[in-house]
Every structure is written in C-alpha cells, then in structure tokens.
C-alpha cells in the first residue's frame, strides 16, 4: 500500500471514529450487559482484538463490577513460515485487562537456506490495557484505552547477528474503538484505530531496534468490520511496521477476515493474511485461524 493510500485510509478511519453518532434504541435497550461480539476476538499478541490489531475493548463480557476473560489459540501459515500463538486474558469491570501470550514462529525455509542453528523463534508477551474514556456502544465518542505490551524474545542468538539490538522491550498503544449500530446501510459497523510506539522487528519475533534504526517509531494500525447479523462479521485489518534492520526491509501486514460469534462463549476468526517480505523471504501470504473461548 502506497504512502498516499496509507494516509487516506488513516484519515478515513480517524474521521469515522471521531464523528459522533447517537446509538439507536436497540443499543439503549441493551445497556444491562455487553452485546455479542463486543468482547472481540484475540489478537495474536494476546488480549482483545482482531487477528493482528488490538482493540480498545476489554477481554470477556464482564460488565461493571464483574470479572471476564478469554483463552485463545491461533495458527497462521504462509509459504515459508508457521506462527502459533496461545494465551489468556482477564478483564475486570470492563475497565482493566491483563493478558499473557506465548508465540512460536517456525522458519524451516530460512533455517535450511542460511544453515541457522535454530528453526524457530519464540516470544512471550505480557500485556495490560486500561480503558480511559468512552464506551464502544453507549457513548457518542469512541472507547479509548491505553495498552502496554511487554515482549521478551527467547531465541536471540540469530536476531542479534542480523542487527537487532535488544531481546526485550515494550510497545505502547493508544487505541480507539467504536460500534455504530445500523451505521452501514442498516448493518452494524465496527471501527478501530491505534497509534503504536514501538522498536519491535516483526512484532518482536526478530528482537527490537536495529542497525538501520534503534529508536522508537510511531506507527498506526486499524480495522473496519461490518456485522452481517449478530453472529457474523466481515472485515479488513492493516498494521504499519517500523523498518529497523538493514538486512531485510520490513513491510506492513494486512488481512481480510470473517469472524463467527455463535454465542458469548466462543469466537472463531479465519483470514487471508498478507505479511509482505519477512526476513528476506518475499511475498509471505497465507491463511490464519484463531479460536477463542470467553466468559
């Protein structure tokens, strides 16, 4: 995606999130509890979100004074890589979320071609999210949350050889999410926009900082989804990335997804993902599947 189109998409998402839209009567009637799908699915780094983009919402369906939570497992397969992630997230009073996730990136093609000593990278992610203001449905403004993702790359021997500076760092995000009831020709419209401060290479799986750039980058990410009914959603996600390592350019991630919410206990997300060039291997595209259970 060119810089011109990145700017246009970012502007459209930001405008949509900041334009006030009064909830319809259906939303007001549901204030006794959180609506189906408003707990989100799980981002691969853990916590409530889509597949690759965190949301401002709190994991689970707990409302004021209640605990909620979720557990997830994710698998993504491209031409040369396989990513597995699993984790837990707990939410309190629809205000605070704490999460943990473990990721494993298998790289058999790269390991064979470069004769690497290992054929996978592992990472642990510890996250916290605080809802600052607003509500996904019941306020005219978006729900705003502050997110911290503390990451530890567990196989740093290879990333340091290609220029990565650190095996541990923290991403900071300001997230905005909004659900417009009947906002897209009678269908519910769900939008998210994040600003992320990061030093992560390939989301941290290749360490943090690099020989090209070692400081923090401010990048944006967002998603839009149309809820076809109470149980099904179609959408698109985009995640801008920093470009820290000289040995291989890093490109944005994007995907088109379908999500199924049969009830408040289960969520299933399937997507076709385009990760661009990853660690010198070009055009990494493939499928993504995530299963979540919630309460």
């Amino acid at each position: 995606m060119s810089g011109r189109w990145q700017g246009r998409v970012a502007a459209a998402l930001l405008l949509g999130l900041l334009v006030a839209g009064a909830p319809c009567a259906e939303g007001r009637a549901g204030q006794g509890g959180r609506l189906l799908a408003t707990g989100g699915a799980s981002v691969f780094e853990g916590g409530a979100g889509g597949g690759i983009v965190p949301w401002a919402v709190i994991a689970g369906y707990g409302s004021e004074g209640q605990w909620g939570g979720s557990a997830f497992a994710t698998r993504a397969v491209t031409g040369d890589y396989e990513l597995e992630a699993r984790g837990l997230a707990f939410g309190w009073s629809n205000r605070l979320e704490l999460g943990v996730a473990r990721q494993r990136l298998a790289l058999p093609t790269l390991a064979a071609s470069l004769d690497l000593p290992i054929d996978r990278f592992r990472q642990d992610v510890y996250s916290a999210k605080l809802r600052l203001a607003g509500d996904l449905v019941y306020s005219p403004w978006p729900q705003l949350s502050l997110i911290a993702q503390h990451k530890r790359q567990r196989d740093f021997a290879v990333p340091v050889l290609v220029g990565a500076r650190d095996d541990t760092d923290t991403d900071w995000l300001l997230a905005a999410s909004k659900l417009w009831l009947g906002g897209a020709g009678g269908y519910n419209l769900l939008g998210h926009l994040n600003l992320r401060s990061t030093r992560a290479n390939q989301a941290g799986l290749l360490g943090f900082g690099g020989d090209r750039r070692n400081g923090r980058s401010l990048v944006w990410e967002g998603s839009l989804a149309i809820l076809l009914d109470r149980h099904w959603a179609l959408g698109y996600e985009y995640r801008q990335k920093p470009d820290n390592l000289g040995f291989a350019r890093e490109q944005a991630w994007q995907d088109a997804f379908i999500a199924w919410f049969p009830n408040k206990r289960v969520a299933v997300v399937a997507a076709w993902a385009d990760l661009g060039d990853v660690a010198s291997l070009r055009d990494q595209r493939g499928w993504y599947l995530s299963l979540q259970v919630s309460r």
Side-chain angles (χ1 to χ4, degrees):
M1 184 178 289
S2 69
R4 177 182 299 178
W5 279 103
Q6 288 179 20
R8 290 179 179 177
V9 173
L13 282 168
L14 183 60
L15 179 62
L17 287 170
L18 295 181
V19 172
C24 68
E26 177 187 349
R28 292 295 182 188
Q31 286 197 44
R34 295 172 63 181
L35 302 178
L36 183 64
T38 59
S42 291
V43 68
F44 80 105
E45 292 154 309
I52 61 174
V53 174
W55 296 1
V57 301
I58 304 300
Y61 287 94
S63 55
E64 185 173 353
Q66 297 178 332
W67 282 99
S70 61
F72 81 97
T74 290
R75 180 174 173 82
V77 177
T78 69
D80 300 292
Y81 297 98
E82 297 180 5
L83 174 66
E84 296 179 350
R86 61 187 184 276
L88 300 169
F90 300 94
W92 167 247
S93 198
N94 197 22
R95 175 67 62 179
L96 176 67
E97 174 190 289
L98 300 174
V100 60
R102 173 160 291 182
Q103 303 164 343
R104 181 183 185 275
L105 178 68
L107 46 153
T109 301
L110 195 65
S113 62
L114 299 181
D115 195 24
L116 299 179
I118 57 176
D119 63 357
R120 82 287 183 269
F121 294 145
R122 297 168 298 167
Q123 181 170 240
D124 295 331
V125 183
Y126 305 93
S127 61
K129 181 188 301 180
L130 177 65
R131 179 165 65 91
L132 302 175
D135 185 89
L136 183 70
V137 182
Y138 304 121
S139 67
W141 294 95
Q143 179 166 321
L144 299 176
S145 294
L146 179 65
I147 304 172
Q149 295 177 339
H150 182 71
K151 303 179 179 183
R152 182 171 68 92
Q153 211 279 357
R154 302 175 62 203
D155 301 291
F156 195 55
V158 173
V160 74
L161 291 178
V162 298
R165 298 295 181 86
D166 299 295
D167 63 356
T168 303
D169 208 287
T170 302
D171 285 4
W172 295 92
L173 297 88
L174 181 63
S177 299
K178 182 61 181 168
L179 175 66
W180 295 273
L181 298 170
Y187 294 100
N188 295 343
L189 180 65
L190 188 60
H192 312 276
L193 181 66
N194 302 336
L195 291 177
R196 180 188 295 259
S197 173
T198 181
R199 297 174 62 238
N201 308 318
Q202 298 297 346
L205 289 162
L206 281 176
F208 305 88
D211 53 332
R212 174 180 289 161
R213 178 183 175 86
N214 191 41
R216 287 189 168 272
S217 297
L218 187 63
V219 296
W220 74 273
E221 51 202 43
S223 63
L224 282 173
I226 294 178
L227 280 68
L228 303 178
D229 57 25
R230 294 180 63 249
H231 302 285
W232 292 92
L234 293 174
Y236 169 79
E237 297 182 292
Y238 181 86
R239 178 164 170 170
Q240 193 180 33
K241 310 284 287 308
D243 193 14
N244 300 327
L245 298 175
F247 95 105
R249 300 300 299 268
E250 187 164 351
Q251 298 176 323
W253 290 352
Q254 53 191 324
D255 69 48
F257 68 86
I258 182 169
W260 179 43
F261 301 90
N263 51 55
K264 289 187 177 182
R265 297 287 184 255
V266 177
V268 181
V269 178
W272 180 257
D274 181 355
L275 307 183
D277 300 346
V278 178
S280 78
L281 298 181
R282 298 180 61 82
D283 300 328
Q284 296 303 307
R285 301 183 180 95
W287 59 267
Y288 170 105
L289 183 66
S290 182
L291 172 65
Q292 174 186 281
V293 292
S294 305
R295 70 169 301 278

